[in-house]
Amino acid sequence: MYIGYVYKTTNLRTQEYYIGKHKWSREGIDNQYYGSGLWVNNIKNKYPDYRSFLKVEPIQHCCSEIELMETEIRYICDHYMNPLNKNISLGWSFKYF
Protein backbone atom coordinates (compact mmCIF):
# COMPACT_ATOMS: atom_id res chain seq x y z
CA MET A 1 0.00 0.00 0.00
CA TYR A 2 1.25 3.48 -0.85
CA ILE A 3 1.77 6.21 1.72
CA GLY A 4 2.41 8.94 -0.87
CA TYR A 5 4.35 9.99 -3.91
CA VAL A 6 7.05 12.35 -5.10
CA TYR A 7 5.84 14.60 -7.90
CA LYS A 8 7.01 17.23 -10.35
CA THR A 9 4.88 20.31 -11.03
CA THR A 10 5.83 22.01 -14.31
CA ASN A 11 4.81 25.42 -15.61
CA LEU A 12 4.06 24.62 -19.26
CA ARG A 13 4.60 28.27 -20.25
CA THR A 14 8.15 28.56 -18.88
CA GLN A 15 9.19 24.91 -18.32
CA GLU A 16 10.15 25.83 -14.74
CA TYR A 17 9.34 23.08 -12.25
CA TYR A 18 9.06 22.16 -8.59
CA ILE A 19 9.67 18.76 -6.98
CA GLY A 20 7.84 17.79 -3.81
CA LYS A 21 6.13 14.99 -1.91
CA HIS A 22 2.49 14.43 -1.06
CA LYS A 23 0.97 11.94 1.34
CA TRP A 24 -1.74 10.07 -0.55
CA SER A 25 -2.75 6.53 0.35
CA ARG A 26 -5.00 5.83 -2.65
CA GLU A 27 -4.09 4.59 -6.11
CA GLY A 28 -2.99 7.23 -8.59
CA ILE A 29 -2.45 10.86 -7.65
CA ASP A 30 -4.42 13.67 -6.04
CA ASN A 31 -5.51 15.66 -9.10
CA GLN A 32 -6.29 18.72 -6.96
CA TYR A 33 -2.79 18.94 -5.46
CA TYR A 34 -0.21 21.08 -7.26
CA GLY A 35 2.22 21.53 -4.38
CA SER A 36 2.66 23.80 -1.40
CA GLY A 37 6.07 25.33 -2.07
CA LEU A 38 6.60 29.07 -2.33
CA TRP A 39 6.92 29.00 -6.13
CA VAL A 40 3.69 27.01 -6.59
CA ASN A 41 1.76 29.13 -4.08
CA ASN A 42 2.87 32.35 -5.77
CA ILE A 43 1.56 31.08 -9.11
CA LYS A 44 -1.72 29.91 -7.57
CA ASN A 45 -2.24 33.30 -5.92
CA LYS A 46 -1.30 35.34 -9.01
CA TYR A 47 -3.07 33.36 -11.75
CA PRO A 48 -6.64 32.13 -11.21
CA ASP A 49 -6.25 29.94 -14.32
CA TYR A 50 -3.13 28.15 -12.99
CA ARG A 51 -4.70 24.74 -13.63
CA SER A 52 -4.53 25.42 -17.37
CA PHE A 53 -0.73 25.67 -17.44
CA LEU A 54 0.57 23.74 -14.40
CA LYS A 55 1.10 20.04 -14.99
CA VAL A 56 1.64 17.60 -12.14
CA GLU A 57 3.21 14.23 -12.77
CA PRO A 58 4.12 11.55 -10.26
CA ILE A 59 7.78 10.62 -10.21
CA GLN A 60 7.63 7.72 -7.76
CA HIS A 61 5.07 6.19 -5.41
CA CYS A 62 6.42 5.27 -1.98
CA CYS A 63 5.35 2.71 0.61
CA SER A 64 6.82 4.23 3.77
CA GLU A 65 7.43 7.64 5.31
CA ILE A 66 11.21 7.11 5.17
CA GLU A 67 11.10 6.08 1.51
CA LEU A 68 8.97 9.14 0.72
CA MET A 69 11.42 11.51 2.45
CA GLU A 70 14.53 9.88 0.96
CA THR A 71 13.04 9.88 -2.53
CA GLU A 72 12.09 13.56 -2.34
CA ILE A 73 15.60 14.50 -1.20
CA ARG A 74 17.23 12.39 -3.92
CA TYR A 75 15.19 13.93 -6.75
CA ILE A 76 15.62 17.48 -5.48
CA CYS A 77 19.39 16.92 -5.17
CA ASP A 78 19.54 15.52 -8.70
CA HIS A 79 17.85 18.66 -10.07
CA TYR A 80 19.02 21.31 -7.59
CA MET A 81 21.51 23.08 -9.89
CA ASN A 82 19.16 23.17 -12.89
CA PRO A 83 18.12 26.82 -13.43
CA LEU A 84 14.56 25.70 -14.27
CA ASN A 85 14.22 24.01 -10.87
CA LYS A 86 12.34 26.26 -8.43
CA ASN A 87 13.02 24.32 -5.22
CA ILE A 88 14.65 26.81 -2.86
CA SER A 89 15.79 24.12 -0.42
CA LEU A 90 16.33 20.38 -0.29
CA GLY A 91 12.83 19.89 1.08
CA TRP A 92 11.28 19.57 4.52
CA SER A 93 12.44 15.98 4.64
CA PHE A 94 16.10 17.01 4.72
CA LYS A 95 15.87 18.25 8.32
CA TYR A 96 15.18 14.68 9.49
CA PHE A 97 18.46 13.24 8.19
Side-chain angles (χ1 to χ4, degrees):
M1 184 167 104
Y2 296 129
I3 192 167
Y5 57 92
V6 174
Y7 63 89
K8 179 180 176 184
T9 299
T10 303
N11 180 332
L12 299 176
R13 295 175 179 169
T14 65
Q15 298 308 307
E16 295 171 326
Y17 62 89
Y18 173 83
I19 296 170
K21 65 177 171 51
H22 183 53
K23 288 187 178 181
W24 185 254
S25 59
R26 298 179 219 151
E27 289 290 320
I29 67 168
D30 180 357
N31 291 322
Q32 301 301 311
Y33 190 76
Y34 289 83
S36 60
L38 183 62
W39 177 76
V40 173
N41 284 334
N42 285 341
I43 289 175
K44 289 176 1 185
N45 291 331
K46 187 174 181 178
Y47 301 102
D49 66 334
Y50 68 90
R51 286 183 175 93
S52 68
F53 62 88
L54 286 184
K55 176 185 175 185
V56 180
E57 51 194 323
I59 296 173
Q60 182 176 326
H61 285 85
C62 301
C63 296
S64 72
E65 184 76 30
I66 295 293
E67 181 188 11
L68 186 62
M69 291 189 293
E70 289 176 345
T71 303
E72 179 192 33
I73 292 167
R74 185 176 73 246
Y75 279 100
I76 291 173
C77 286
D78 288 349
H79 292 263
Y80 200 66
M81 297 307 291
N82 186 326
L84 295 175
N85 177 15
K86 295 303 169 186
N87 290 82
I88 60 174
S89 71
L90 295 177
W92 290 105
S93 299
F94 192 70
K95 67 182 178 183
Y96 295 104
F97 292 95

PDB file of all heavy atoms in Angstrom, residues 46-59:
ATOM      1  N   LYS A  46      -1.383  34.318  -7.961  1.00  0.00           N
ATOM      2  CA  LYS A  46      -1.300  35.344  -9.009  1.00  0.00           C
ATOM      3  C   LYS A  46      -2.184  35.036 -10.218  1.00  0.00           C
ATOM      4  O   LYS A  46      -2.714  35.949 -10.852  1.00  0.00           O
ATOM      5  CB  LYS A  46       0.153  35.494  -9.455  1.00  0.00           C
ATOM      6  CG  LYS A  46       0.393  36.637 -10.398  1.00  0.00           C
ATOM      7  CD  LYS A  46       1.871  36.825 -10.675  1.00  0.00           C
ATOM      8  CE  LYS A  46       2.106  38.003 -11.601  1.00  0.00           C
ATOM      9  NZ  LYS A  46       3.530  38.237 -11.842  1.00  0.00           N
ATOM     10  N   TYR A  47      -2.347  33.750 -10.538  1.00  0.00           N
ATOM     11  CA  TYR A  47      -3.067  33.364 -11.752  1.00  0.00           C
ATOM     12  C   TYR A  47      -4.250  32.456 -11.417  1.00  0.00           C
ATOM     13  O   TYR A  47      -4.057  31.278 -11.113  1.00  0.00           O
ATOM     14  CB  TYR A  47      -2.131  32.616 -12.715  1.00  0.00           C
ATOM     15  CG  TYR A  47      -0.925  33.420 -13.124  1.00  0.00           C
ATOM     16  CD1 TYR A  47       0.320  33.187 -12.543  1.00  0.00           C
ATOM     17  CD2 TYR A  47      -1.031  34.412 -14.091  1.00  0.00           C
ATOM     18  CE1 TYR A  47       1.432  33.929 -12.918  1.00  0.00           C
ATOM     19  CE2 TYR A  47       0.076  35.151 -14.477  1.00  0.00           C
ATOM     20  CZ  TYR A  47       1.304  34.901 -13.878  1.00  0.00           C
ATOM     21  OH  TYR A  47       2.400  35.640 -14.253  1.00  0.00           O
ATOM     22  N   PRO A  48      -5.470  32.964 -11.504  1.00  0.00           N
ATOM     23  CA  PRO A  48      -6.642  32.131 -11.212  1.00  0.00           C
ATOM     24  C   PRO A  48      -6.758  30.922 -12.152  1.00  0.00           C
ATOM     25  O   PRO A  48      -7.367  29.919 -11.796  1.00  0.00           O
ATOM     26  CB  PRO A  48      -7.822  33.076 -11.408  1.00  0.00           C
ATOM     27  CG  PRO A  48      -7.261  34.453 -11.376  1.00  0.00           C
ATOM     28  CD  PRO A  48      -5.829  34.343 -11.792  1.00  0.00           C
ATOM     29  N   ASP A  49      -6.172  31.023 -13.338  1.00  0.00           N
ATOM     30  CA  ASP A  49      -6.254  29.938 -14.322  1.00  0.00           C
ATOM     31  C   ASP A  49      -5.042  28.997 -14.259  1.00  0.00           C
ATOM     32  O   ASP A  49      -4.728  28.316 -15.229  1.00  0.00           O
ATOM     33  CB  ASP A  49      -6.380  30.513 -15.729  1.00  0.00           C
ATOM     34  CG  ASP A  49      -5.137  31.263 -16.182  1.00  0.00           C
ATOM     35  OD1 ASP A  49      -4.381  31.769 -15.312  1.00  0.00           O
ATOM     36  OD2 ASP A  49      -4.914  31.361 -17.400  1.00  0.00           O
ATOM     37  N   TYR A  50      -4.368  28.931 -13.103  1.00  0.00           N
ATOM     38  CA  TYR A  50      -3.126  28.152 -12.992  1.00  0.00           C
ATOM     39  C   TYR A  50      -3.300  26.692 -13.412  1.00  0.00           C
ATOM     40  O   TYR A  50      -2.368  26.071 -13.893  1.00  0.00           O
ATOM     41  CB  TYR A  50      -2.541  28.242 -11.587  1.00  0.00           C
ATOM     42  CG  TYR A  50      -3.346  27.566 -10.505  1.00  0.00           C
ATOM     43  CD1 TYR A  50      -3.137  26.236 -10.182  1.00  0.00           C
ATOM     44  CD2 TYR A  50      -4.334  28.261  -9.806  1.00  0.00           C
ATOM     45  CE1 TYR A  50      -3.869  25.606  -9.191  1.00  0.00           C
ATOM     46  CE2 TYR A  50      -5.068  27.648  -8.815  1.00  0.00           C
ATOM     47  CZ  TYR A  50      -4.839  26.326  -8.511  1.00  0.00           C
ATOM     48  OH  TYR A  50      -5.576  25.711  -7.531  1.00  0.00           O
ATOM     49  N   ARG A  51      -4.490  26.150 -13.257  1.00  0.00           N
ATOM     50  CA  ARG A  51      -4.701  24.739 -13.632  1.00  0.00           C
ATOM     51  C   ARG A  51      -4.523  24.503 -15.132  1.00  0.00           C
ATOM     52  O   ARG A  51      -4.261  23.389 -15.552  1.00  0.00           O
ATOM     53  CB  ARG A  51      -6.093  24.289 -13.197  1.00  0.00           C
ATOM     54  CG  ARG A  51      -6.219  24.085 -11.710  1.00  0.00           C
ATOM     55  CD  ARG A  51      -7.627  23.568 -11.358  1.00  0.00           C
ATOM     56  NE  ARG A  51      -7.731  23.260  -9.958  1.00  0.00           N
ATOM     57  CZ  ARG A  51      -8.157  24.106  -9.031  1.00  0.00           C
ATOM     58  NH1 ARG A  51      -8.539  25.324  -9.374  1.00  0.00           N
ATOM     59  NH2 ARG A  51      -8.222  23.749  -7.765  1.00  0.00           N
ATOM     60  N   SER A  52      -4.650  25.562 -15.916  1.00  0.00           N
ATOM     61  CA  SER A  52      -4.530  25.418 -17.365  1.00  0.00           C
ATOM     62  C   SER A  52      -3.080  25.319 -17.829  1.00  0.00           C
ATOM     63  O   SER A  52      -2.826  24.885 -18.955  1.00  0.00           O
ATOM     64  CB  SER A  52      -5.227  26.579 -18.078  1.00  0.00           C
ATOM     65  OG  SER A  52      -4.540  27.803 -17.848  1.00  0.00           O
ATOM     66  N   PHE A  53      -2.123  25.725 -16.990  1.00  0.00           N
ATOM     67  CA  PHE A  53      -0.734  25.674 -17.438  1.00  0.00           C
ATOM     68  C   PHE A  53       0.227  25.016 -16.440  1.00  0.00           C
ATOM     69  O   PHE A  53       1.421  24.938 -16.716  1.00  0.00           O
ATOM     70  CB  PHE A  53      -0.222  27.062 -17.836  1.00  0.00           C
ATOM     71  CG  PHE A  53      -0.208  28.077 -16.720  1.00  0.00           C
ATOM     72  CD1 PHE A  53       0.878  28.193 -15.884  1.00  0.00           C
ATOM     73  CD2 PHE A  53      -1.297  28.914 -16.521  1.00  0.00           C
ATOM     74  CE1 PHE A  53       0.894  29.124 -14.860  1.00  0.00           C
ATOM     75  CE2 PHE A  53      -1.291  29.850 -15.513  1.00  0.00           C
ATOM     76  CZ  PHE A  53      -0.188  29.959 -14.677  1.00  0.00           C
ATOM     77  N   LEU A  54      -0.270  24.541 -15.301  1.00  0.00           N
ATOM     78  CA  LEU A  54       0.566  23.741 -14.403  1.00  0.00           C
ATOM     79  C   LEU A  54       0.246  22.269 -14.611  1.00  0.00           C
ATOM     80  O   LEU A  54      -0.912  21.877 -14.607  1.00  0.00           O
ATOM     81  CB  LEU A  54       0.317  24.106 -12.936  1.00  0.00           C
ATOM     82  CG  LEU A  54       0.869  25.419 -12.420  1.00  0.00           C
ATOM     83  CD1 LEU A  54       0.613  25.550 -10.931  1.00  0.00           C
ATOM     84  CD2 LEU A  54       2.357  25.583 -12.712  1.00  0.00           C
ATOM     85  N   LYS A  55       1.265  21.486 -14.792  1.00  0.00           N
ATOM     86  CA  LYS A  55       1.102  20.043 -14.993  1.00  0.00           C
ATOM     87  C   LYS A  55       1.794  19.312 -13.852  1.00  0.00           C
ATOM     88  O   LYS A  55       2.956  19.585 -13.546  1.00  0.00           O
ATOM     89  CB  LYS A  55       1.729  19.629 -16.320  1.00  0.00           C
ATOM     90  CG  LYS A  55       1.706  18.141 -16.578  1.00  0.00           C
ATOM     91  CD  LYS A  55       2.456  17.813 -17.849  1.00  0.00           C
ATOM     92  CE  LYS A  55       2.547  16.320 -18.046  1.00  0.00           C
ATOM     93  NZ  LYS A  55       3.365  15.980 -19.213  1.00  0.00           N
ATOM     94  N   VAL A  56       1.070  18.398 -13.214  1.00  0.00           N
ATOM     95  CA  VAL A  56       1.640  17.599 -12.137  1.00  0.00           C
ATOM     96  C   VAL A  56       1.794  16.167 -12.619  1.00  0.00           C
ATOM     97  O   VAL A  56       0.858  15.590 -13.171  1.00  0.00           O
ATOM     98  CB  VAL A  56       0.739  17.631 -10.886  1.00  0.00           C
ATOM     99  CG1 VAL A  56       1.345  16.782  -9.777  1.00  0.00           C
ATOM    100  CG2 VAL A  56       0.523  19.048 -10.409  1.00  0.00           C
ATOM    101  N   GLU A  57       2.976  15.624 -12.402  1.00  0.00           N
ATOM    102  CA  GLU A  57       3.207  14.233 -12.772  1.00  0.00           C
ATOM    103  C   GLU A  57       3.911  13.510 -11.632  1.00  0.00           C
ATOM    104  O   GLU A  57       4.844  14.047 -11.042  1.00  0.00           O
ATOM    105  CB  GLU A  57       4.005  14.132 -14.072  1.00  0.00           C
ATOM    106  CG  GLU A  57       5.264  14.944 -14.083  1.00  0.00           C
ATOM    107  CD  GLU A  57       5.854  15.094 -15.480  1.00  0.00           C
ATOM    108  OE1 GLU A  57       5.795  14.155 -16.274  1.00  0.00           O
ATOM    109  OE2 GLU A  57       6.383  16.172 -15.741  1.00  0.00           O
ATOM    110  N   PRO A  58       3.441  12.315 -11.314  1.00  0.00           N
ATOM    111  CA  PRO A  58       4.115  11.551 -10.261  1.00  0.00           C
ATOM    112  C   PRO A  58       5.472  11.068 -10.764  1.00  0.00           C
ATOM    113  O   PRO A  58       5.613  10.678 -11.910  1.00  0.00           O
ATOM    114  CB  PRO A  58       3.174  10.384 -10.001  1.00  0.00           C
ATOM    115  CG  PRO A  58       2.412  10.219 -11.272  1.00  0.00           C
ATOM    116  CD  PRO A  58       2.316  11.584 -11.884  1.00  0.00           C
ATOM    117  N   ILE A  59       6.450  11.131  -9.890  1.00  0.00           N
ATOM    118  CA  ILE A  59       7.783  10.622 -10.211  1.00  0.00           C
ATOM    119  C   ILE A  59       7.928   9.212  -9.658  1.00  0.00           C
ATOM    120  O   ILE A  59       8.380   8.305 -10.346  1.00  0.00           O
ATOM    121  CB  ILE A  59       8.882  11.534  -9.631  1.00  0.00           C
ATOM    122  CG1 ILE A  59       8.824  12.922 -10.280  1.00  0.00           C
ATOM    123  CG2 ILE A  59      10.255  10.911  -9.826  1.00  0.00           C
ATOM    124  CD1 ILE A  59       9.767  13.931  -9.657  1.00  0.00           C
TER     125      ILE A  59
END
